[in-house]
Every structure is written in structure tokens, then in C-alpha cells.
Amino acid sequence: MTEQQPAPENPEGDEPIKQRKNGLYPAVSDELAENMKSGWADTELRDLRPIAQAPDTARRRAGLSARFPGERLVIPAGNLKTRSNDTEYSFRASTEYVYLTGDQTQDGVLVLEPTNAPEGQSAHEATLYLLPRSDRENGEFWLDGMGELWVGRRHSLSEAEQLYGMPCKDVRELADALREATGPVRGVRGHDAGIEAALTDKVTAERDEELRVFISEQRLVKDAFEIAELQKAVDSTVRGFEDVVKVLDKAEATSERYIEGTFFLRARVEGNDIGYGSICAAGPHATTLHWVRNDGPVRSGELLLLDAGVETHTLYTADVTRTLPINGTYTDLQRKIYDAVYEAQEAGIAAVKPGAKYRDFHDAAQRVLAERLVEWGLVEGPVERVLELGLQRRWTLHGTGHMLGLDVHDCAVARTETYVDGVLEPGMVLTVEPGLYFQADDVSVPEEYRGIGVRIEDDILVTEDGNRNLSDGLPRTSADVEAWMANLKG
């Protein structure tokens, strides 16, 4: 990685250009500074087409506008976060910002300014505040660590207006404008400290939370663009799972990291990234729900619980889990446990339909798992007693699913009454993912159960007449999994 040098004073003698990090530069001669100003071609992009989701983001902003008339709304993308010293994590714009704009650039801010429009028209004018192209006249483009010769070209404000369908202005002027603004304001917190500081004494935590909750609830029902992106994410994820099966012999010779890296390659080639830390849990690690260290051995005869999802270039993520026999064949006990989880998942998926309570699919899956645990003599029945006391949770542990979208656990701050205690509607997308986990040190179960963990997870779209499994490209029954693995291994 090339180490950038700290910037000198502005060659024009005005204010120093913005520096990324502290340090000393060798002096820049007047001749070099002057030379760098000229000899560059015009690269302005004209006649750009709007992004595919522009009509959808406009409609979403209109819904937000109708909910908060007469109030200024401020939704930041966020800033880079330092990983170590002078290196940063890859930037990922805030979900609220992406949902309402389609833009993903750092430091961007969406502002909805209230207007005096007649009733029935939009109560706000939306403006996107962005960093413009690096200034070549003052040397910013090559002297600033965030200049375009260091980190790459960004869109001009006029280009951004074509892409996102709204006026765009220089974000560097926004903080001062917000300080001087009057009237009620709401903002999304936690992403841009500079913008939040400019809003001090203008906002309250309670009012800001109402804004965040509303945007979260807006996302409960997906539009056609979002559903198509989720299907794209799932399809790439299916191919990533196939990639893993093909290299299980190499993983056995190395570690779970080989599985992690193999799936990550597919995510980066076909999408933006992974949607969350991949869980590549072999053997007893499969009993740890969020095993993301992925540094353990991969052994023939044991199971691999792979929970992973590709994130698309528009930031929608899949979330799929399969529990695979590393050598291609389940043992009798592994199959018994796997088949019980599959039966529970089937019951859960069947309960996903419009008008059903959100909790119904969880309850249906939990009942099946409780029945099997009683049948196997691992917990004392009857089943109704087990469910009433939650005794099955020693081995089931987690909820059976969650909403899915721009976040893997989407709509997370929606109110309980509209989400967990709500009713399913067409367009909602959720996971159904029951599991059984017998910890390696759980002496309450027979020794042969210990260290076995099984989860099966699919991404389910609620349709007008039932549901559609977006991830049905991956087999689910134990027999189909074995046949699929045998075919991939040749």
C-alpha cells in the first residue's frame, strides 16, 4: 500500500487544503504546483441514466415527507471509520440513507426541507449533499489523502443529480447551513458526528428515534426492485454454497478459513461483499450460534454448518444456512437430528402466509422440535408442558427467523406491535431457520449427541396466496443434500 504524504499549504496561499492525517511533506515547488493544474482532459459524464431504483427512492421519500410535514429531516450516509492508524474499514453507507437515495458514498447527507406546497403535493424538497469532484485548481485532487488521485474519481454534483433525481449540493457547506436553520428538525443519529454537532439544541433523542423507527417500518414490505435484488443475492449465495462443496477436501487439509475465503470470493465477484460475517462452523463449532472465528479444523465424518449470504451491489443481502456432512453422507444420528430440523422448518414455512401472525412460523417450528426432543427422551413431556415452560430452548436457543433486506436483521427498530406482534403482508421477506444444538459439554444428553449442531435456513417471500422460497435453489432434505454434494464432487 502506497503511503501518502501529508499535504503542504495550499499552493495558492489561501487556507491549507484538508489533510487526511498529520505529518510532514517535502515542500512542493511553485513549478510543480502550477504544472499539476493543467493538462487534464474533461471527464465530465453527460446524459447519465437514473439509477434503476430512482422511482422507488422518490416514492419512499414521499412517504417520509407525508409522515413529518413541516419538519426538516436529515439522514446522513456516515463517514469512514479507522481500522488502525491511517487505514480505514471499507465504507458502508447507512441503511436509512441508501434506502431513501440509492447512493452509497461516504459523507453524503440527504436533507428534506419543508415547503409550503399546497395540500396533496410533496411537503418537502429533497436535496442530496455530497462531496464534489476534487478541486484541481488548489491541488486537492493530488495533495489531499482523500483526493481523487489517491482514492479514485467520484461523481460531480451534476452527474449525481442525473443519477439520483434530485438537486445536489456541496456537503461541506451543509453544517453551517444547519446551524443557522430554524424550525423543527429530526435526524438519524449515529452515523455522522459533524452533522449531529451542527444540529445540537435543534433535535431531541425522542423525536429522532421516531424518525428512525418510521424508516425501519417503511422497509417491512419490499417493493418489486427490492425483491429482485434479494433474489439476485440469494442466487449468488447458492453458487457460493456450491463453490464450498467443491473444495471441502481442500478445507479438510487447511481449516474453516478455506471455506470462508471460498464463499467470500463469490461474494466479491458477483456482489459488493458478504452481508454479514460468514459462519463456517465445522464439528462442535456448529453449536455456537455465531461462530465467525472460522479457525477450526474441518474433519470427515463431522458436519459443516455454513450460514452465509452475498450482498448485492445495491446492498441487499441473502441469509442462507445449510448443514452439510463433510464427507458427503450423514451418519444415522446426524440424519435423525437433521430430519427433525427439516420437519420443523417445513412446518414454519407452511405458516408463512398473508394474514398470519408473524409469530406463527416460530411457534410451528418450535412445536415440532419440542415433539422430537420429547420423543427422544431428552426432555420430559407432555409437549404442551415443554412449550409452556420453554424447556426446548436449551437446545433450540434462538428465534426461528427475522426480516431480511438491506440489513441481514432488517427493520430492527420497528415497533413490536408492527413487527414481532404484527401480521404478515405480501412483499415481506423473512428467514425461517430452526435449529438444534447439543453443546459438547452438555451432560444432560447422551454422549453421541454432544457436539452436533444443525440449522437449516431459507429466505421466504410472503406472496398474495402464500409464500415463495427464494433460496429453493439449494436442496433441503437429507437425501437431496447428499445427492447434490455427490454430483458437485463428481
Side-chain angles (χ1 to χ4, degrees):
M1 184 182 206
T2 304
E3 182 180 3
Q4 65 191 52
Q5 301 176 37
E9 299 294 305
N10 185 332
E12 295 301 300
D14 299 324
E15 291 295 318
I17 65 174
K18 178 182 176 184
Q19 296 187 34
R20 181 183 179 211
K21 298 291 177 186
N22 294 328
L24 298 175
Y25 272 75
V28 173
S29 69
D30 292 342
E31 289 82 0
L32 176 58
E34 192 63 29
N35 176 273
M36 291 295 287
K37 292 181 182 180
S38 60
W40 307 100
D42 177 10
T43 60
E44 182 75 8
L45 303 175
R46 298 171 177 85
D47 300 322
L48 291 174
R49 294 185 178 183
I51 59 172
Q53 66 269 46
D56 300 300
T57 56
R59 176 178 44 75
R60 297 165 194 166
R61 293 193 298 272
L64 186 62
S65 173
R67 172 62 179 81
F68 300 105
E71 303 182 57
R72 181 175 291 104
L73 308 177
V74 181
I75 300 97
N79 317 125
L80 284 174
K81 291 181 172 59
T82 299
R83 180 179 185 273
S84 175
N85 189 26
D86 60 350
T87 61
E88 287 84 19
Y89 289 103
S90 297
F91 179 71
R92 205 279 193 182
S94 74
T95 291
E96 296 88 353
Y97 178 84
V98 172
Y99 180 72
L100 294 166
T101 69
D103 178 49
Q104 298 179 35
T105 54
Q106 67 198 54
D107 302 324
V109 183
L110 171 67
V111 178
L112 272 63
E113 292 281 351
T115 65
N116 295 318
E119 187 174 350
Q121 297 184 22
S122 176
H124 291 85
E125 179 180 355
T127 302
L128 199 55
Y129 288 84
L130 302 167
L131 286 172
R133 295 286 307 278
S134 293
D135 192 331
R136 293 181 183 246
E137 186 63 26
N138 73 358
E140 175 192 358
F141 80 109
W142 68 287
L143 292 171
D144 185 349
M146 287 288 103
E148 293 185 4
L149 286 192
W150 287 101
V151 299
R153 185 188 190 278
R154 53 183 177 253
H155 286 297
S156 69
L157 297 181
S158 62
E159 290 170 353
E161 289 180 347
Q162 297 176 68
L163 290 170
Y164 304 116
M166 67 186 104
C168 295
K169 296 182 180 180
D170 190 335
V171 72
R172 294 172 295 189
E173 302 169 359
L174 178 59
D176 288 341
L178 290 175
R179 289 187 189 96
E180 297 171 3
T182 59
V185 182
R186 295 179 192 257
V188 174
R189 301 189 181 205
H191 302 298
D192 192 317
I195 294 300
E196 288 183 32
L199 294 174
T200 300
D201 301 327
K202 298 178 185 292
V203 295
T204 66
E206 182 180 4
R207 285 166 51 79
D208 288 354
E209 186 64 10
E210 288 176 354
L211 171 62
R212 186 165 171 247
V213 166
F214 178 81
I215 298 172
S216 190
E217 293 180 358
Q218 267 191 303
R219 306 202 316 270
L220 282 168
V221 175
K222 271 57 182 178
D223 56 41
F225 175 84
E226 294 181 289
I227 292 169
E229 286 299 296
L230 285 167
Q231 185 66 71
K232 187 185 301 180
V234 168
D235 292 345
S236 290
T237 299
V238 168
R239 289 188 284 273
F241 274 66
E242 293 171 347
D243 295 339
V244 167
V245 171
K246 292 175 182 177
V247 300
L248 280 177
D249 57 336
K250 295 182 174 65
E252 286 188 57
T254 51
S255 75
E256 295 162 338
R257 291 284 169 91
Y258 204 97
I259 294 167
E260 178 183 1
T262 298
F263 187 85
F264 181 70
L265 177 61
R266 177 66 66 173
R268 287 293 284 167
V269 167
E270 295 194 0
N272 176 63
D273 207 327
I274 50 174
Y276 54 95
S278 298
I279 298 168
C280 307
H285 289 163
T287 65
T288 301
L289 297 186
H290 289 166
W291 177 261
V292 293
R293 299 179 201 171
N294 300 334
D295 58 0
V298 178
R299 293 181 285 247
S300 179
E302 295 184 335
L303 298 176
L304 166 67
L305 190 157
L306 178 58
D307 183 337
V310 172
E311 177 185 78
T312 66
H313 293 292
T314 59
L315 307 188
Y316 287 85
T317 185
D319 182 8
V320 178
T321 306
R322 291 294 184 269
T323 306
L324 312 173
I326 292 168
N327 64 7
T329 304
Y330 295 100
T331 67
D332 290 343
L333 179 59
Q334 290 169 351
R335 188 185 307 276
K336 181 175 82 168
I337 296 170
Y338 183 96
D339 289 349
V341 174
Y342 169 76
E343 185 183 350
Q345 194 200 29
E346 281 282 272
I349 292 174
V352 175
K353 53 190 174 184
K357 294 178 181 178
Y358 174 81
R359 293 182 185 270
D360 285 353
F361 77 93
H362 170 75
D363 293 342
Q366 288 287 295
R367 175 170 290 276
V368 172
L369 295 179
E371 290 171 349
R372 295 298 159 265
L373 291 166
V374 170
E375 175 188 313
W376 299 339
L378 301 183
V379 63
E380 182 181 350
V383 170
E384 294 300 336
R385 168 185 171 273
V386 173
L387 292 171
E388 181 181 355
L389 298 177
L391 301 180
Q392 81 284 359
R393 292 185 59 187
R394 180 182 179 106
W395 303 285
T396 66
L397 296 173
H398 55 82
T400 307
H402 51 80
M403 292 294 179
L404 187 66
L406 282 168
D407 288 331
V408 65
H409 296 148
D410 209 32
C411 314
V413 298
R415 292 168 296 170
T416 299
E417 58 265 33
T418 61
Y419 185 169
V420 179
D421 288 339
V423 173
L424 296 179
E425 300 178 39
M428 291 181 170
V429 180
L430 53 102
T431 68
V432 179
E433 50 176 311
L436 282 174
Y437 313 92
F438 300 102
Q439 305 300 319
D441 59 350
D442 186 352
V443 296
S444 73
V445 299
E447 185 175 359
E448 60 267 25
Y449 283 78
R450 300 172 200 168
I452 295 178
V454 174
R455 180 164 65 251
I456 311 172
E457 177 181 20
D458 285 272
D459 302 341
I460 309 298
L461 167 67
V462 183
T463 62
E464 294 288 344
D465 57 357
N467 68 66
R468 176 160 62 90
N469 186 347
L470 301 180
S471 47
D472 64 359
L474 284 176
R476 289 191 298 127
T477 71
S478 55
D480 287 346
V481 167
E482 289 175 333
W484 170 71
M485 292 182 69
N487 182 60
L488 288 173
K489 291 183 174 183

